[in-house]
Amino acid sequence: MPGINLSIDGNTIATVCTDSYDVLSVRVSGTRIDEELADLDVSGGNYPEGREPTHLTWISSLPLHSGQVVTVSFLPTASSSHEGKTIEELFPDEAATTVGDFKPRADLIKEISEKPKLRGKFSFRLQSSFGTVFVGETRPNEHGFGFTVLWNSFHPERARVSLHSYTLENLETGSAMNYHVEEQMQYGNSVCFELVD
């Protein structure tokens, strides 16, 4: 069965076979207020209609540093390197959030906006085996970015590659984010992402 392989600086850290899953996602993200420059997550699961979903995580909040190259390969045949874990397995000591203990979005955005900015911008480089090359950076008013490779079982022969940045206003209003790259990768393709100084 096909699968997604993830490596950092040429060293494989996870391979996940798509067999029996509805969605798989590799995501690198960061904001100007986070202590870590960025972090990496690999997650997915099954989300059947009318039944209890199963959400699993293979890599959780792995810190990334400037100059590290993250490579995501879409393999025609793959075996999973290890099993994904549920939220309860990853964080057994954390109590479940009390229902109704959520702040309104506007209040959360206001809190975020008042936190000190630890960096002025993000600069990144993306290159794919199918010809995409992008070098750029976030705008002065943008809060964060996300690089994602997303696979779903509706189109099992491809995965979506995207790189975007966003402002706090985008988060508050749901307005369109700033997409730098939007591509589809096929079996045998790979894409490399790097945060640069």
Side-chain angles (χ1 to χ4, degrees):
M1 291 295 293
I4 291 177
N5 174 268
L6 175 67
S7 67
I8 298 177
D9 295 335
N11 300 309
T12 294
I13 60 169
T15 303
V16 183
C17 178
T18 61
D19 187 28
S20 77
Y21 296 116
D22 294 328
V23 175
L24 292 176
S25 171
V26 176
R27 180 174 173 81
V28 176
S29 60
T31 76
R32 294 170 64 191
I33 64 172
D34 294 330
E35 287 193 23
E36 297 290 351
L37 179 64
D39 56 30
L40 170 68
D41 293 276
V42 180
S43 62
N46 299 302
Y47 308 97
E49 191 172 339
R51 288 184 292 159
E52 189 73 21
T54 302
H55 183 78
L56 299 172
T57 298
W58 286 265
I59 303 292
S60 176
S61 300
L62 179 68
L64 292 177
H65 308 288
S66 178
Q68 289 187 300
V69 178
V70 175
T71 302
V72 183
S73 303
F74 189 28
L75 306 176
T77 306
S79 299
S80 294
S81 58
H82 59 280
E83 292 184 5
K85 295 184 178 181
T86 64
I87 296 298
E88 292 77 16
E89 289 171 326
L90 283 173
F91 308 105
D93 298 328
E94 291 189 14
T97 303
T98 305
V99 175
D101 192 24
F102 296 103
K103 295 182 180 179
R105 178 180 295 192
D107 291 350
L108 287 173
I109 298 297
K110 185 174 185 298
E111 280 186 19
I112 291 170
S113 70
E114 292 171 349
K115 291 186 177 182
K117 311 295 186 289
L118 302 181
R119 56 193 56 87
K121 64 181 179 181
F122 290 96
S123 300
F124 25 68
R125 180 184 297 121
L126 182 150
Q127 184 168 356
S128 75
S129 64
F130 44 95
T132 303
V133 178
F134 175 80
V135 178
E137 61 187 31
T138 53
R139 298 168 179 165
N141 67 329
E142 289 181 325
H143 175 69
F145 79 94
F147 162 70
T148 306
V149 176
L150 181 66
W151 174 89
N152 69 65
S153 58
F154 291 109
H155 298 286
E157 76 289 352
R158 67 189 193 212
R160 179 177 180 264
V161 177
S162 67
L163 172 61
H164 71 274
S165 49
Y166 59 90
T167 64
L168 289 176
E169 183 182 0
N170 294 145
L171 296 180
E172 186 171 13
T173 64
S175 56
M177 298 186 186
N178 179 17
Y179 276 88
H180 306 279
V181 175
E182 289 185 278
E183 297 281 2
Q184 301 287 345
M185 62 193 299
Q186 313 293 326
Y187 295 145
N189 289 158
S190 61
V191 59
C192 297
F193 175 77
E194 178 186 2
L195 287 165
V196 294
D197 288 329

